Amino acid sequence: MNDVFSLADELGPLKIIHIHEPGIGLKGVLVVDNVAKGPSIGGVRMAPDVTTEECVRLARAMTFKNAAAGLPHGGGKAVLIGDPKMPKQEKEILIRGFANALKEVEQYIFAPDMGTDEECMAWVKDEIGRVVGLPREIGGIPLDEIGATGWGLSHVVDVALEFTDINIKGARIAVQGFGAVGKNVSKFLTKDGAILVAVSDSTGTIYNPEGLDVEKLTALKSEGKSVTDYPDGDKHERDAIIDIECDIWIPAARPDVIYEDNVHRLNTKMVVEGANIPITHAAEKILHDKGILCVPDFIANAGGVICAAMEYQAASQSAAFATIEEKLRRNTREVLQTAKREKIFPREAALAMARKRIDKAMSFRRWNIF
Ligand code: NAD
């Protein structure tokens, strides 16, 4: 019995639900972490190797992200064991089955994450209705297509620059990963005058100190090619992006790409975390001690979930963009000012800010976390 509670603390998780239906090969987990601020939002991740523990960590990250963003939502997360590239019919059966199994759990609102997309969310809507991240045709705001997270990141960069001597005009940026987040943050920042000197994807890095053309790179990716097929630049191996000399380094790919043993390779003045948990806490501390400003993930990349929460309220796309801008600018300024004033690193300031908001919400409840 103790094992079940080994991952529990004063914030949650409230519920861990394992779903198993051998008839359709369904194995999934839902973690509802904390709903003091409202029904939880967090994506459904499909991967062959996802675990309950990973789901618990991701649900907690959503509790902090949603609280920091000032949303009326707690944190939750769901994982489904399976290869996301499975045939569509099989995937549809799993998603529909999973949604049905969780029909009664009103404290969780389905959303897309790695391995699931808007079409999957449309199936969830058809089954149970409680979902965000839908296709536009049925009331969704397609957050990846419009670049909600990249838009938010560009505002975070703009505010964070006030705490450095870097000017966005001519600032050299390097972006790891050129998917929904990477290409959109590149688009918005280059529009503001930054120079994209390097990008990478899962196959390699392309570098040109004179600048890369975001539209041409995006066109290559939509043809199914790699950024290394870009003709006008030097090609390097995938992780060479870490060594590129730049002013702003933006991880927008995988978790845990920077850790204690490789953090010294970063040759930048500022890091803004587009990906989730891309840098270990120990490595963030090292960056801070070296005077490199690092804006943590759950502050910097909250544009996507803010957009999803706005969709749930039936808001328009332009209202979602305005809210992302307002919330992320305010949060970034508050976190960086607190970090500076109290001589702590930005993640500590961000966690304290989010925790204060969660504690306040919990204080209004008959029972703390639900
Ligand atoms: P995506 O699948 O659209 O793109 C991922 C990109 O990373 C692809 O270009 C892929 O080739 C590349 N990539 C994969 N492994 C790599 C590696 N080891 N090195 C370099 N590049 C690699 O995903 P996305 O939606 O852009 O999400 C990227 C990250 O941002 C994830 O960590 C995700 O959890 C996080 N995130 C996304 C959103 C969102 O709105 N989509 C919001 C918050 C956080």
Side-chain angles (χ1 to χ4, degrees), residues 45 65 113-114 143-144 148-149 176-182 200-204 221 238-239 241 251-255 257 274-276 301-305:
R45 178 167 294 192
K65 193 187 290 193
D113 189 49
M114 282 157 58
L143 62 94
D144 281 342
T149 303
Q176 182 186 47
F178 204 68
V181 176
S200 66
D201 61 17
S202 52
T203 55
K221 288 296 280 184
R238 188 191 70 186
D239 289 345
I241 190 80
R254 306 284 302 156
V257 289
N276 284 319
N301 70 26
V305 75

PDB file of all heavy atoms in Angstrom, residues 45 65 113-114 143-144 148-149 176-182 200-204 221 238-239 241 251-255 257 274-276 301-305, ligand 1:
ATOM      1  N   ARG A  45      -0.265  11.756 -23.604  1.00  0.00           N
ATOM      2  CA  ARG A  45       0.980  11.397 -24.293  1.00  0.00           C
ATOM      3  C   ARG A  45       0.912   9.935 -24.701  1.00  0.00           C
ATOM      4  O   ARG A  45       0.603   9.081 -23.867  1.00  0.00           O
ATOM      5  CB  ARG A  45       2.174  11.639 -23.361  1.00  0.00           C
ATOM      6  CG  ARG A  45       3.512  11.262 -23.964  1.00  0.00           C
ATOM      7  CD  ARG A  45       4.648  11.816 -23.133  1.00  0.00           C
ATOM      8  NE  ARG A  45       4.692  13.275 -23.163  1.00  0.00           N
ATOM      9  CZ  ARG A  45       5.712  14.012 -22.717  1.00  0.00           C
ATOM     10  NH1 ARG A  45       6.766  13.423 -22.190  1.00  0.00           N
ATOM     11  NH2 ARG A  45       5.682  15.329 -22.784  1.00  0.00           N
ATOM     12  N   LYS A  65       2.562  24.765 -14.002  1.00  0.00           N
ATOM     13  CA  LYS A  65       2.440  25.609 -15.201  1.00  0.00           C
ATOM     14  C   LYS A  65       1.094  26.345 -15.215  1.00  0.00           C
ATOM     15  O   LYS A  65       1.021  27.544 -15.459  1.00  0.00           O
ATOM     16  CB  LYS A  65       2.587  24.755 -16.465  1.00  0.00           C
ATOM     17  CG  LYS A  65       2.775  25.603 -17.720  1.00  0.00           C
ATOM     18  CD  LYS A  65       2.752  24.789 -18.993  1.00  0.00           C
ATOM     19  CE  LYS A  65       3.946  23.905 -19.160  1.00  0.00           C
ATOM     20  NZ  LYS A  65       4.052  23.352 -20.532  1.00  0.00           N
ATOM     21  N   ASP A 113      -0.863  15.945 -26.610  1.00  0.00           N
ATOM     22  CA  ASP A 113       0.548  16.034 -26.234  1.00  0.00           C
ATOM     23  C   ASP A 113       1.308  15.163 -27.239  1.00  0.00           C
ATOM     24  O   ASP A 113       0.728  14.717 -28.240  1.00  0.00           O
ATOM     25  CB  ASP A 113       0.737  15.538 -24.787  1.00  0.00           C
ATOM     26  CG  ASP A 113       2.144  15.795 -24.258  1.00  0.00           C
ATOM     27  OD1 ASP A 113       2.631  16.925 -24.391  1.00  0.00           O
ATOM     28  OD2 ASP A 113       2.776  14.866 -23.743  1.00  0.00           O
ATOM     29  N   MET A 114       2.571  14.887 -26.962  1.00  0.00           N
ATOM     30  CA  MET A 114       3.373  14.094 -27.887  1.00  0.00           C
ATOM     31  C   MET A 114       2.654  12.780 -28.215  1.00  0.00           C
ATOM     32  O   MET A 114       2.202  12.073 -27.323  1.00  0.00           O
ATOM     33  CB  MET A 114       4.727  13.782 -27.270  1.00  0.00           C
ATOM     34  CG  MET A 114       5.677  14.958 -27.329  1.00  0.00           C
ATOM     35  SD  MET A 114       6.970  14.856 -26.086  1.00  0.00           S
ATOM     36  CE  MET A 114       7.725  13.310 -26.489  1.00  0.00           C
ATOM     37  N   LEU A 143      -3.488  25.347 -31.863  1.00  0.00           N
ATOM     38  CA  LEU A 143      -2.409  26.084 -31.207  1.00  0.00           C
ATOM     39  C   LEU A 143      -1.034  25.882 -31.841  1.00  0.00           C
ATOM     40  O   LEU A 143      -0.209  26.785 -31.826  1.00  0.00           O
ATOM     41  CB  LEU A 143      -2.395  25.808 -29.704  1.00  0.00           C
ATOM     42  CG  LEU A 143      -2.160  24.407 -29.166  1.00  0.00           C
ATOM     43  CD1 LEU A 143      -0.703  24.192 -28.847  1.00  0.00           C
ATOM     44  CD2 LEU A 143      -2.985  24.222 -27.906  1.00  0.00           C
ATOM     45  N   ASP A 144      -0.800  24.692 -32.423  1.00  0.00           N
ATOM     46  CA  ASP A 144       0.495  24.483 -33.082  1.00  0.00           C
ATOM     47  C   ASP A 144       0.550  25.202 -34.421  1.00  0.00           C
ATOM     48  O   ASP A 144       1.564  25.798 -34.790  1.00  0.00           O
ATOM     49  CB  ASP A 144       0.772  22.990 -33.268  1.00  0.00           C
ATOM     50  CG  ASP A 144       1.266  22.359 -31.965  1.00  0.00           C
ATOM     51  OD1 ASP A 144       1.711  23.113 -31.071  1.00  0.00           O
ATOM     52  OD2 ASP A 144       1.214  21.130 -31.844  1.00  0.00           O
ATOM     53  N   ALA A 148       1.100  29.221 -30.921  1.00  0.00           N
ATOM     54  CA  ALA A 148       0.802  29.851 -29.627  1.00  0.00           C
ATOM     55  C   ALA A 148       2.009  29.836 -28.687  1.00  0.00           C
ATOM     56  O   ALA A 148       2.320  30.844 -28.033  1.00  0.00           O
ATOM     57  CB  ALA A 148      -0.384  29.132 -28.972  1.00  0.00           C
ATOM     58  N   THR A 149       2.689  28.708 -28.616  1.00  0.00           N
ATOM     59  CA  THR A 149       3.824  28.610 -27.687  1.00  0.00           C
ATOM     60  C   THR A 149       4.998  29.463 -28.175  1.00  0.00           C
ATOM     61  O   THR A 149       5.659  30.143 -27.381  1.00  0.00           O
ATOM     62  CB  THR A 149       4.223  27.132 -27.500  1.00  0.00           C
ATOM     63  OG1 THR A 149       3.065  26.427 -27.038  1.00  0.00           O
ATOM     64  CG2 THR A 149       5.342  26.967 -26.491  1.00  0.00           C
ATOM     65  N   GLN A 176      17.112  24.581 -30.884  1.00  0.00           N
ATOM     66  CA  GLN A 176      17.210  23.116 -30.958  1.00  0.00           C
ATOM     67  C   GLN A 176      15.814  22.540 -31.186  1.00  0.00           C
ATOM     68  O   GLN A 176      14.941  22.662 -30.337  1.00  0.00           O
ATOM     69  CB  GLN A 176      17.766  22.557 -29.640  1.00  0.00           C
ATOM     70  CG  GLN A 176      17.937  21.050 -29.672  1.00  0.00           C
ATOM     71  CD  GLN A 176      18.351  20.486 -28.326  1.00  0.00           C
ATOM     72  OE1 GLN A 176      17.777  20.831 -27.291  1.00  0.00           O
ATOM     73  NE2 GLN A 176      19.358  19.632 -28.323  1.00  0.00           N
ATOM     74  N   GLY A 177      15.621  21.902 -32.348  1.00  0.00           N
ATOM     75  CA  GLY A 177      14.296  21.361 -32.682  1.00  0.00           C
ATOM     76  C   GLY A 177      13.575  22.346 -33.575  1.00  0.00           C
ATOM     77  O   GLY A 177      13.540  23.555 -33.288  1.00  0.00           O
ATOM     78  N   PHE A 178      13.016  21.839 -34.680  1.00  0.00           N
ATOM     79  CA  PHE A 178      12.328  22.761 -35.598  1.00  0.00           C
ATOM     80  C   PHE A 178      10.932  22.215 -35.898  1.00  0.00           C
ATOM     81  O   PHE A 178      10.539  22.044 -37.031  1.00  0.00           O
ATOM     82  CB  PHE A 178      13.163  22.945 -36.876  1.00  0.00           C
ATOM     83  CG  PHE A 178      12.876  24.236 -37.590  1.00  0.00           C
ATOM     84  CD1 PHE A 178      13.217  25.456 -37.029  1.00  0.00           C
ATOM     85  CD2 PHE A 178      12.251  24.234 -38.834  1.00  0.00           C
ATOM     86  CE1 PHE A 178      12.944  26.649 -37.678  1.00  0.00           C
ATOM     87  CE2 PHE A 178      11.970  25.425 -39.495  1.00  0.00           C
ATOM     88  CZ  PHE A 178      12.316  26.635 -38.923  1.00  0.00           C
ATOM     89  N   GLY A 179      10.185  21.956 -34.818  1.00  0.00           N
ATOM     90  CA  GLY A 179       8.792  21.517 -34.939  1.00  0.00           C
ATOM     91  C   GLY A 179       7.876  22.684 -34.649  1.00  0.00           C
ATOM     92  O   GLY A 179       8.215  23.848 -34.906  1.00  0.00           O
ATOM     93  N   ALA A 180       6.713  22.383 -34.063  1.00  0.00           N
ATOM     94  CA  ALA A 180       5.714  23.430 -33.830  1.00  0.00           C
ATOM     95  C   ALA A 180       6.293  24.589 -33.018  1.00  0.00           C
ATOM     96  O   ALA A 180       6.068  25.762 -33.335  1.00  0.00           O
ATOM     97  CB  ALA A 180       4.515  22.826 -33.099  1.00  0.00           C
ATOM     98  N   VAL A 181       7.054  24.283 -31.990  1.00  0.00           N
ATOM     99  CA  VAL A 181       7.583  25.341 -31.130  1.00  0.00           C
ATOM    100  C   VAL A 181       8.788  26.022 -31.794  1.00  0.00           C
ATOM    101  O   VAL A 181       8.852  27.252 -31.907  1.00  0.00           O
ATOM    102  CB  VAL A 181       7.977  24.771 -29.745  1.00  0.00           C
ATOM    103  CG1 VAL A 181       8.612  25.854 -28.871  1.00  0.00           C
ATOM    104  CG2 VAL A 181       6.749  24.183 -29.046  1.00  0.00           C
ATOM    105  N   GLY A 182       9.748  25.226 -32.251  1.00  0.00           N
ATOM    106  CA  GLY A 182      10.997  25.769 -32.802  1.00  0.00           C
ATOM    107  C   GLY A 182      10.779  26.678 -33.994  1.00  0.00           C
ATOM    108  O   GLY A 182      11.336  27.780 -34.062  1.00  0.00           O
ATOM    109  N   SER A 200      18.449  22.940 -35.341  1.00  0.00           N
ATOM    110  CA  SER A 200      18.682  21.502 -35.490  1.00  0.00           C
ATOM    111  C   SER A 200      17.342  20.786 -35.542  1.00  0.00           C
ATOM    112  O   SER A 200      16.306  21.342 -35.170  1.00  0.00           O
ATOM    113  CB  SER A 200      19.502  20.974 -34.306  1.00  0.00           C
ATOM    114  OG  SER A 200      18.746  21.067 -33.120  1.00  0.00           O
ATOM    115  N   ASP A 201      17.381  19.548 -36.025  1.00  0.00           N
ATOM    116  CA  ASP A 201      16.249  18.640 -35.840  1.00  0.00           C
ATOM    117  C   ASP A 201      16.844  17.277 -35.497  1.00  0.00           C
ATOM    118  O   ASP A 201      18.045  17.190 -35.203  1.00  0.00           O
ATOM    119  CB  ASP A 201      15.292  18.640 -37.052  1.00  0.00           C
ATOM    120  CG  ASP A 201      15.947  18.188 -38.334  1.00  0.00           C
ATOM    121  OD1 ASP A 201      17.029  17.568 -38.256  1.00  0.00           O
ATOM    122  OD2 ASP A 201      15.391  18.451 -39.412  1.00  0.00           O
ATOM    123  N   SER A 202      16.039  16.233 -35.562  1.00  0.00           N
ATOM    124  CA  SER A 202      16.549  14.952 -35.072  1.00  0.00           C
ATOM    125  C   SER A 202      17.677  14.404 -35.951  1.00  0.00           C
ATOM    126  O   SER A 202      18.399  13.498 -35.532  1.00  0.00           O
ATOM    127  CB  SER A 202      15.422  13.929 -34.960  1.00  0.00           C
ATOM    128  OG  SER A 202      14.737  13.873 -36.182  1.00  0.00           O
ATOM    129  N   THR A 203      17.871  14.964 -37.151  1.00  0.00           N
ATOM    130  CA  THR A 203      18.946  14.434 -38.010  1.00  0.00           C
ATOM    131  C   THR A 203      20.214  15.287 -38.039  1.00  0.00           C
ATOM    132  O   THR A 203      21.259  14.805 -38.454  1.00  0.00           O
ATOM    133  CB  THR A 203      18.456  14.225 -39.456  1.00  0.00           C
ATOM    134  OG1 THR A 203      17.931  15.458 -39.926  1.00  0.00           O
ATOM    135  CG2 THR A 203      17.393  13.155 -39.525  1.00  0.00           C
ATOM    136  N   GLY A 204      20.167  16.546 -37.647  1.00  0.00           N
ATOM    137  CA  GLY A 204      21.398  17.335 -37.700  1.00  0.00           C
ATOM    138  C   GLY A 204      21.181  18.802 -37.400  1.00  0.00           C
ATOM    139  O   GLY A 204      20.069  19.236 -37.077  1.00  0.00           O
ATOM    140  N   LYS A 221      10.828  21.493 -44.152  1.00  0.00           N
ATOM    141  CA  LYS A 221      10.266  20.564 -43.157  1.00  0.00           C
ATOM    142  C   LYS A 221       8.890  20.063 -43.610  1.00  0.00           C
ATOM    143  O   LYS A 221       8.571  18.900 -43.437  1.00  0.00           O
ATOM    144  CB  LYS A 221      10.142  21.243 -41.777  1.00  0.00           C
ATOM    145  CG  LYS A 221      11.451  21.476 -41.071  1.00  0.00           C
ATOM    146  CD  LYS A 221      12.191  20.208 -40.709  1.00  0.00           C
ATOM    147  CE  LYS A 221      11.698  19.524 -39.471  1.00  0.00           C
ATOM    148  NZ  LYS A 221      12.515  18.348 -39.109  1.00  0.00           N
ATOM    149  N   ARG A 238      23.769  16.344 -35.020  1.00  0.00           N
ATOM    150  CA  ARG A 238      22.576  16.817 -34.323  1.00  0.00           C
ATOM    151  C   ARG A 238      22.891  17.695 -33.100  1.00  0.00           C
ATOM    152  O   ARG A 238      22.387  18.797 -32.950  1.00  0.00           O
ATOM    153  CB  ARG A 238      21.745  15.601 -33.901  1.00  0.00           C
ATOM    154  CG  ARG A 238      20.401  15.919 -33.353  1.00  0.00           C
ATOM    155  CD  ARG A 238      19.785  14.699 -32.720  1.00  0.00           C
ATOM    156  NE  ARG A 238      20.501  14.349 -31.492  1.00  0.00           N
ATOM    157  CZ  ARG A 238      20.276  13.264 -30.767  1.00  0.00           C
ATOM    158  NH1 ARG A 238      19.391  12.391 -31.165  1.00  0.00           N
ATOM    159  NH2 ARG A 238      20.951  13.045 -29.653  1.00  0.00           N
ATOM    160  N   ASP A 239      23.788  17.206 -32.241  1.00  0.00           N
ATOM    161  CA  ASP A 239      24.004  17.913 -30.974  1.00  0.00           C
ATOM    162  C   ASP A 239      25.004  19.067 -31.074  1.00  0.00           C
ATOM    163  O   ASP A 239      25.289  19.723 -30.062  1.00  0.00           O
ATOM    164  CB  ASP A 239      24.438  16.914 -29.886  1.00  0.00           C
ATOM    165  CG  ASP A 239      23.282  16.012 -29.483  1.00  0.00           C
ATOM    166  OD1 ASP A 239      22.129  16.355 -29.825  1.00  0.00           O
ATOM    167  OD2 ASP A 239      23.515  14.971 -28.848  1.00  0.00           O
ATOM    168  N   ILE A 241      24.383  21.770 -32.169  1.00  0.00           N
ATOM    169  CA  ILE A 241      23.619  22.988 -31.834  1.00  0.00           C
ATOM    170  C   ILE A 241      23.986  23.502 -30.434  1.00  0.00           C
ATOM    171  O   ILE A 241      23.942  24.695 -30.170  1.00  0.00           O
ATOM    172  CB  ILE A 241      22.088  22.696 -31.930  1.00  0.00           C
ATOM    173  CG1 ILE A 241      21.252  23.975 -31.842  1.00  0.00           C
ATOM    174  CG2 ILE A 241      21.602  21.709 -30.874  1.00  0.00           C
ATOM    175  CD1 ILE A 241      21.160  24.756 -33.078  1.00  0.00           C
ATOM    176  N   PRO A 251      16.023  25.685 -26.382  1.00  0.00           N
ATOM    177  CA  PRO A 251      15.714  24.273 -26.579  1.00  0.00           C
ATOM    178  C   PRO A 251      14.236  24.113 -26.903  1.00  0.00           C
ATOM    179  O   PRO A 251      13.388  24.653 -26.184  1.00  0.00           O
ATOM    180  CB  PRO A 251      16.063  23.634 -25.225  1.00  0.00           C
ATOM    181  CG  PRO A 251      15.921  24.738 -24.229  1.00  0.00           C
ATOM    182  CD  PRO A 251      16.173  26.038 -24.957  1.00  0.00           C
ATOM    183  N   ALA A 252      13.920  23.390 -27.986  1.00  0.00           N
ATOM    184  CA  ALA A 252      12.508  23.191 -28.371  1.00  0.00           C
ATOM    185  C   ALA A 252      12.340  21.771 -28.916  1.00  0.00           C
ATOM    186  O   ALA A 252      11.724  21.562 -29.961  1.00  0.00           O
ATOM    187  CB  ALA A 252      12.098  24.237 -29.410  1.00  0.00           C
ATOM    188  N   ALA A 253      12.956  20.811 -28.205  1.00  0.00           N
ATOM    189  CA  ALA A 253      12.869  19.418 -28.682  1.00  0.00           C
ATOM    190  C   ALA A 253      12.594  18.473 -27.518  1.00  0.00           C
ATOM    191  O   ALA A 253      11.460  18.405 -27.034  1.00  0.00           O
ATOM    192  CB  ALA A 253      14.144  19.042 -29.418  1.00  0.00           C
ATOM    193  N   ARG A 254      13.621  17.825 -27.025  1.00  0.00           N
ATOM    194  CA  ARG A 254      13.471  16.715 -26.088  1.00  0.00           C
ATOM    195  C   ARG A 254      13.765  17.141 -24.637  1.00  0.00           C
ATOM    196  O   ARG A 254      14.448  18.123 -24.405  1.00  0.00           O
ATOM    197  CB  ARG A 254      14.450  15.592 -26.462  1.00  0.00           C
ATOM    198  CG  ARG A 254      14.342  15.122 -27.883  1.00  0.00           C
ATOM    199  CD  ARG A 254      13.144  14.249 -28.098  1.00  0.00           C
ATOM    200  NE  ARG A 254      13.188  13.102 -27.211  1.00  0.00           N
ATOM    201  CZ  ARG A 254      12.123  12.406 -26.812  1.00  0.00           C
ATOM    202  NH1 ARG A 254      10.934  12.759 -27.216  1.00  0.00           N
ATOM    203  NH2 ARG A 254      12.249  11.372 -26.017  1.00  0.00           N
ATOM    204  N   PRO A 255      13.319  16.321 -23.668  1.00  0.00           N
ATOM    205  CA  PRO A 255      13.694  16.580 -22.265  1.00  0.00           C
ATOM    206  C   PRO A 255      15.175  16.253 -21.996  1.00  0.00           C
ATOM    207  O   PRO A 255      15.791  15.502 -22.751  1.00  0.00           O
ATOM    208  CB  PRO A 255      12.823  15.607 -21.461  1.00  0.00           C
ATOM    209  CG  PRO A 255      11.911  14.939 -22.411  1.00  0.00           C
ATOM    210  CD  PRO A 255      12.418  15.166 -23.788  1.00  0.00           C
ATOM    211  N   VAL A 257      18.138  17.514 -22.300  1.00  0.00           N
ATOM    212  CA  VAL A 257      19.213  17.613 -23.296  1.00  0.00           C
ATOM    213  C   VAL A 257      20.453  18.315 -22.733  1.00  0.00           C
ATOM    214  O   VAL A 257      21.562  18.133 -23.232  1.00  0.00           O
ATOM    215  CB  VAL A 257      18.749  18.327 -24.591  1.00  0.00           C
ATOM    216  CG1 VAL A 257      17.804  17.447 -25.379  1.00  0.00           C
ATOM    217  CG2 VAL A 257      18.122  19.677 -24.292  1.00  0.00           C
ATOM    218  N   GLY A 274      11.930  26.419 -24.333  1.00  0.00           N
ATOM    219  CA  GLY A 274      10.718  26.138 -25.099  1.00  0.00           C
ATOM    220  C   GLY A 274      10.215  24.729 -24.827  1.00  0.00           C
ATOM    221  O   GLY A 274       9.016  24.492 -24.716  1.00  0.00           O
ATOM    222  N   ALA A 275      11.124  23.777 -24.715  1.00  0.00           N
ATOM    223  CA  ALA A 275      10.755  22.381 -24.440  1.00  0.00           C
ATOM    224  C   ALA A 275      10.388  22.228 -22.967  1.00  0.00           C
ATOM    225  O   ALA A 275      10.657  23.118 -22.153  1.00  0.00           O
ATOM    226  CB  ALA A 275      11.911  21.457 -24.786  1.00  0.00           C
ATOM    227  N   ASN A 276       9.784  21.091 -22.631  1.00  0.00           N
ATOM    228  CA  ASN A 276       9.520  20.774 -21.225  1.00  0.00           C
ATOM    229  C   ASN A 276      10.725  20.051 -20.636  1.00  0.00           C
ATOM    230  O   ASN A 276      11.279  19.151 -21.267  1.00  0.00           O
ATOM    231  CB  ASN A 276       8.279  19.882 -21.110  1.00  0.00           C
ATOM    232  CG  ASN A 276       7.015  20.688 -21.307  1.00  0.00           C
ATOM    233  OD1 ASN A 276       6.893  21.814 -20.816  1.00  0.00           O
ATOM    234  ND2 ASN A 276       6.072  20.138 -22.050  1.00  0.00           N
ATOM    235  N   ASN A 301       7.083  28.398 -21.661  1.00  0.00           N
ATOM    236  CA  ASN A 301       6.348  27.723 -22.744  1.00  0.00           C
ATOM    237  C   ASN A 301       4.857  27.550 -22.441  1.00  0.00           C
ATOM    238  O   ASN A 301       4.202  26.676 -23.011  1.00  0.00           O
ATOM    239  CB  ASN A 301       7.023  26.391 -23.102  1.00  0.00           C
ATOM    240  CG  ASN A 301       6.881  25.322 -22.032  1.00  0.00           C
ATOM    241  OD1 ASN A 301       5.935  25.339 -21.245  1.00  0.00           O
ATOM    242  ND2 ASN A 301       7.799  24.373 -22.005  1.00  0.00           N
ATOM    243  N   ALA A 302       4.317  28.391 -21.578  1.00  0.00           N
ATOM    244  CA  ALA A 302       2.906  28.244 -21.182  1.00  0.00           C
ATOM    245  C   ALA A 302       1.917  28.741 -22.240  1.00  0.00           C
ATOM    246  O   ALA A 302       0.704  28.620 -22.060  1.00  0.00           O
ATOM    247  CB  ALA A 302       2.656  28.972 -19.856  1.00  0.00           C
ATOM    248  N   GLY A 303       2.414  29.273 -23.354  1.00  0.00           N
ATOM    249  CA  GLY A 303       1.504  29.797 -24.389  1.00  0.00           C
ATOM    250  C   GLY A 303       0.503  28.747 -24.866  1.00  0.00           C
ATOM    251  O   GLY A 303      -0.681  29.049 -25.072  1.00  0.00           O
ATOM    252  N   GLY A 304       0.967  27.506 -25.011  1.00  0.00           N
ATOM    253  CA  GLY A 304       0.096  26.440 -25.522  1.00  0.00           C
ATOM    254  C   GLY A 304      -1.062  26.155 -24.585  1.00  0.00           C
ATOM    255  O   GLY A 304      -2.220  26.088 -25.017  1.00  0.00           O
ATOM    256  N   VAL A 305      -0.771  26.031 -23.307  1.00  0.00           N
ATOM    257  CA  VAL A 305      -1.855  25.672 -22.379  1.00  0.00           C
ATOM    258  C   VAL A 305      -2.794  26.858 -22.138  1.00  0.00           C
ATOM    259  O   VAL A 305      -4.004  26.677 -21.942  1.00  0.00           O
ATOM    260  CB  VAL A 305      -1.316  25.063 -21.055  1.00  0.00           C
ATOM    261  CG1 VAL A 305      -0.727  26.100 -20.135  1.00  0.00           C
ATOM    262  CG2 VAL A 305      -2.446  24.320 -20.332  1.00  0.00           C
TER     263      VAL A 305
HETATM  264  P1  NAD B   1       7.307  18.642 -32.548  1.00  0.00           P
HETATM  265  O1  NAD B   1       7.170  17.161 -32.570  1.00  0.00           O
HETATM  266  O2  NAD B   1       6.428  19.483 -33.438  1.00  0.00           O
HETATM  267  O3  NAD B   1       8.828  19.044 -32.937  1.00  0.00           O
HETATM  268  C1  NAD B   1       9.935  18.491 -32.324  1.00  0.00           C
HETATM  269  C2  NAD B   1      11.181  18.844 -33.138  1.00  0.00           C
HETATM  270  O4  NAD B   1      12.329  18.422 -32.422  1.00  0.00           O
HETATM  271  C3  NAD B   1      11.257  18.168 -34.505  1.00  0.00           C
HETATM  272  O5  NAD B   1      11.812  19.090 -35.428  1.00  0.00           O
HETATM  273  C4  NAD B   1      12.241  17.018 -34.272  1.00  0.00           C
HETATM  274  O6  NAD B   1      12.950  16.644 -35.464  1.00  0.00           O
HETATM  275  C5  NAD B   1      13.175  17.663 -33.302  1.00  0.00           C
HETATM  276  N1  NAD B   1      13.969  16.769 -32.475  1.00  0.00           N
HETATM  277  C6  NAD B   1      13.614  15.584 -31.888  1.00  0.00           C
HETATM  278  N2  NAD B   1      14.632  15.102 -31.181  1.00  0.00           N
HETATM  279  C7  NAD B   1      15.646  15.990 -31.314  1.00  0.00           C
HETATM  280  C8  NAD B   1      16.961  16.057 -30.795  1.00  0.00           C
HETATM  281  N3  NAD B   1      17.427  15.125 -29.984  1.00  0.00           N
HETATM  282  N4  NAD B   1      17.734  17.124 -31.138  1.00  0.00           N
HETATM  283  C9  NAD B   1      17.249  18.108 -31.939  1.00  0.00           C
HETATM  284  N5  NAD B   1      16.017  18.090 -32.435  1.00  0.00           N
HETATM  285  C10 NAD B   1      15.235  17.047 -32.133  1.00  0.00           C
HETATM  286  O7  NAD B   1       7.169  19.071 -31.034  1.00  0.00           O
HETATM  287  P2  NAD B   1       6.765  20.493 -30.434  1.00  0.00           P
HETATM  288  O8  NAD B   1       5.286  20.560 -30.279  1.00  0.00           O
HETATM  289  O9  NAD B   1       7.477  21.572 -31.201  1.00  0.00           O
HETATM  290  O10 NAD B   1       7.344  20.365 -28.957  1.00  0.00           O
HETATM  291  C11 NAD B   1       8.725  20.518 -28.701  1.00  0.00           C
HETATM  292  C12 NAD B   1       8.954  20.569 -27.195  1.00  0.00           C
HETATM  293  O11 NAD B   1       8.222  21.652 -26.635  1.00  0.00           O
HETATM  294  C13 NAD B   1       8.491  19.333 -26.408  1.00  0.00           C
HETATM  295  O12 NAD B   1       9.356  19.196 -25.305  1.00  0.00           O
HETATM  296  C14 NAD B   1       7.108  19.718 -25.922  1.00  0.00           C
HETATM  297  O13 NAD B   1       6.755  18.989 -24.750  1.00  0.00           O
HETATM  298  C15 NAD B   1       7.345  21.177 -25.605  1.00  0.00           C
HETATM  299  N6  NAD B   1       6.144  21.996 -25.590  1.00  0.00           N
HETATM  300  C16 NAD B   1       5.343  22.095 -26.677  1.00  0.00           C
HETATM  301  C17 NAD B   1       4.241  22.924 -26.647  1.00  0.00           C
HETATM  302  C18 NAD B   1       3.381  23.099 -27.845  1.00  0.00           C
HETATM  303  O14 NAD B   1       2.565  24.026 -27.820  1.00  0.00           O
HETATM  304  N7  NAD B   1       3.505  22.307 -28.905  1.00  0.00           N
HETATM  305  C19 NAD B   1       3.931  23.645 -25.474  1.00  0.00           C
HETATM  306  C20 NAD B   1       4.785  23.541 -24.366  1.00  0.00           C
HETATM  307  C21 NAD B   1       5.896  22.717 -24.447  1.00  0.00           C
END
